[in-house]
Amino acid sequence: MSSDQKNPTGMTRRDLLQGVAGAAAVSSLPAFPMPALAQGAPFKVGFMLPYTGTFAKLGKFIDEGFRLYVEQKGGKLGGRAVTFLQVDDESKPESATDNMNRLVGREKVDVVVGTVHSGVAMAMAKVARDTNTMLVIPNAGANEATGPLCAPHIFRTSFSNWQTSFPMGKVVADAGHKNVVTISWRYAAGQQMVEAFKEGYAKAGGGGKIVEELYLPFPEVEFQALLTRIASLKPDAVFSFFAGGGAVKFVKDYAAAGLKDKIPLYGSGFLTDGTIEAQGEAANGIKTTLHYADNLDNPANKAFSEAFKKKSGQDADVYAVQGFDSANLLDIGMTAAGGDAAARDKMVAAMAAAKIDSPRGPISFSKAHNVVQNFYLREVRNGRNEFISVAHADLADPAPGCRMTS
Ligand code: BEZ
């Protein structure tokens, strides 16, 4: 549909896309009294993503990656025309239930695609379970979403927090680092990634220890006192989780504090993905683990990276890949359902069995509906997150507490 053509509800695409910023974006749109399925209405995708704040770029790239896939399919998923609604969740867990209820109750979307922040995603998963809404999580790693909160209609195309950081424990242990400090934001993602790193580090058996765990509240970026503490502790290495705008500032401040050449900085890959241009020289040499690297040498990545650059004028990153794959997964489900999102059982069965040739490499889904994939060790070289090795092949989240795994 072009921007000015009317869909069956009488709205133009321009009407639907207006007002991205602010949680009020959706409430400013006319309500849809009928479920989208009626009368061949378009498949309604509700994006609940951060379009402002420290994770704004992450949300934007997920959104653009998703739309790229839909464009490549002629504006359709499973042969059905698609319309989009957007809610800016601002990475605020306290607004998440209301935002979700608006998309599900008032706007009657067929699927919610969101979000980035683990705390927001947990609230979304609870509403999705209560309302039996299809939810595709294109980033947030909260272990609970595909653990105790797992459900047949909840899929995650990104990672669990555990998956991203468990492999880094072995990398750091194998490098011979015996005294390690961790630093992150104090919220679900930071705490779960640090726990997973510690688990991998202990299991690797190098005999090293975690000398201190440093935290600051999300989304604060006043790192100075903690960097001074790191300098005084003089560890052999630092493991960190930050993302988006916070990661840009952390990496620059770490270098400016004179730590970069003294204490090697490691992290889950969000530290340098989508942030590398803004970090410049300060990022060079940082090693991270993630399920994507800029130079992965496979045809799907080549085609995707070129198409994304052409569409957005920017280099693709892991968030764009996750958005693209989320649309791919829904396409598989909608195709199996003959374009009828109400044929939920067919849709879920096809999505659970999906095998996708992703730009990140081959992916499939665990019984808990979390993605199974390779995790790569990468190093920042010449402004790119370059592939070094496969840190852990075909890694599945253990999904403790998920009833679908037994
Ligand atoms: C999270 O909150 O789960 C998250 C946010 C940004 C990057 C990775 C994970």
Side-chain angles (χ1 to χ4, degrees):
M1 181 167 93
S2 78
S3 288
D4 297 313
Q5 267 178 305
K6 288 192 172 176
N7 71 17
T9 64
M11 291 185 72
T12 65
R13 182 166 174 271
R14 202 183 301 285
D15 292 332
L16 289 165
L17 295 179
Q18 71 188 5
V20 170
V26 157
S27 59
S28 70
L29 298 168
F32 290 81
M34 294 287 287
L37 285 171
Q39 309 299 322
F43 182 61
K44 292 178 75 173
V45 174
F47 285 134
M48 185 164 150
L49 293 166
Y51 291 100
T52 54
T54 201
F55 289 160
K57 187 178 171 214
L58 288 57
K60 184 166 173 280
F61 271 48
I62 289 168
D63 179 319
E64 288 190 4
F66 192 104
R67 286 174 199 265
L68 172 63
Y69 182 92
V70 175
E71 275 172 33
Q72 289 179 350
K73 293 283 166 172
K76 295 179 176 173
L77 289 175
R80 180 117 168 261
V82 176
T83 54
F84 298 103
L85 294 165
Q86 295 163 309
V87 169
D88 178 9
D89 70 33
E90 302 170 89
S91 295
K92 286 189 177 157
E94 64 275 22
S95 311
T97 304
D98 282 351
N99 283 333
M100 187 72 180
N101 281 333
R102 204 170 294 141
L103 279 174
V104 171
R106 182 182 156 103
E107 305 299 340
K108 300 195 180 352
V109 297
D110 292 302
V111 60
V112 176
V113 175
T115 188
V116 168
H117 182 287
S118 275
V120 177
M122 282 193 266
M124 292 173 74
K126 285 178 194 150
V127 176
R129 282 167 64 100
D130 290 348
T131 58
N132 197 27
T133 300
M134 177 70 82
L135 172 64
V136 174
I137 303 173
N139 186 74
N143 294 337
E144 294 86 344
T146 51
L149 294 173
C150 77
H153 52 286
I154 298 178
F155 285 83
R156 178 156 51 198
T157 54
S158 49
F159 54 85
S160 74
N161 290 326
W162 180 88
Q163 278 178 307
T164 62
S165 303
F166 176 78
M168 186 44 102
K170 182 164 162 48
V171 171
V172 171
D174 288 355
H177 300 307
K178 300 286 186 216
N179 295 295
V180 180
V181 166
T182 66
I183 179 165
S184 186
W185 281 308
R186 187 186 297 285
Y187 82 105
Q191 288 165 313
Q192 291 178 353
M193 287 190 208
V194 166
E195 282 310 310
F197 167 75
K198 283 163 54 187
E199 188 187 331
Y201 186 64
K203 277 201 176 130
K209 62 178 189 302
I210 306 297
V211 287
E212 200 151 303
E213 293 177 35
L214 303 171
Y215 286 105
L216 72 167
F218 176 86
E220 281 183 19
V221 290
E222 290 313 317
F223 299 115
Q224 212 44 57
L226 299 182
L227 292 173
T228 303
R229 179 72 185 147
I230 292 173
S232 73
L233 287 167
K234 296 189 179 55
D236 302 333
V238 169
F239 169 82
S240 58
F241 161 71
F242 293 104
V248 173
K249 181 153 191 303
F250 178 72
V251 165
K252 285 180 142 183
D253 287 3
Y254 194 87
L259 296 174
K260 177 173 155 44
D261 298 324
K262 293 192 191 128
I263 307 169
L265 180 59
Y266 295 85
S268 51
F270 312 106
L271 192 62
T272 54
D273 226 270
T275 54
I276 209 163
E277 210 181 316
Q279 288 163 336
E281 272 293 304
N284 267 340
I286 295 178
K287 287 188 181 146
T288 60
T289 44
L290 202 67
H291 46 290
Y292 185 61
D294 292 328
N295 60 337
L296 283 184
D297 190 13
N298 67 63
N301 191 34
K302 197 167 177 297
F304 169 75
S305 304
E306 281 172 15
F308 190 83
K309 180 95 187 184
K310 197 166 164 217
K311 174 178 159 63
S312 69
Q314 304 201 57
D315 290 328
D317 63 14
V318 71
Y319 308 105
V321 171
Q322 291 167 176
F324 188 76
D325 290 344
S326 298
N328 193 341
L329 182 65
L330 282 165
D331 191 28
I332 289 168
M334 283 293 281
T335 301
D340 178 3
R344 174 67 71 80
D345 289 352
K346 284 187 194 158
M347 196 169 169
V348 164
M351 289 165 72
K355 294 199 185 317
I356 297 176
D357 184 17
S358 164
R360 64 184 108 166
I363 63 171
S364 59
F365 291 85
S366 66
K367 284 187 181 167
H369 292 177
N370 186 58
V371 65
V372 180
Q373 58 195 336
N374 292 336
F375 281 81
Y376 308 109
L377 175 62
R378 310 113 43 93
E379 181 175 347
V380 177
R381 292 177 185 153
N382 307 314
R384 302 188 81 198
N385 283 294
E386 294 208 345
F387 170 88
I388 298 182
S389 62
V390 176
H392 203 130
D394 290 331
L395 184 60
D397 181 83
C402 172
R403 293 221 183 113
M404 300 197 304
T405 58
S406 50

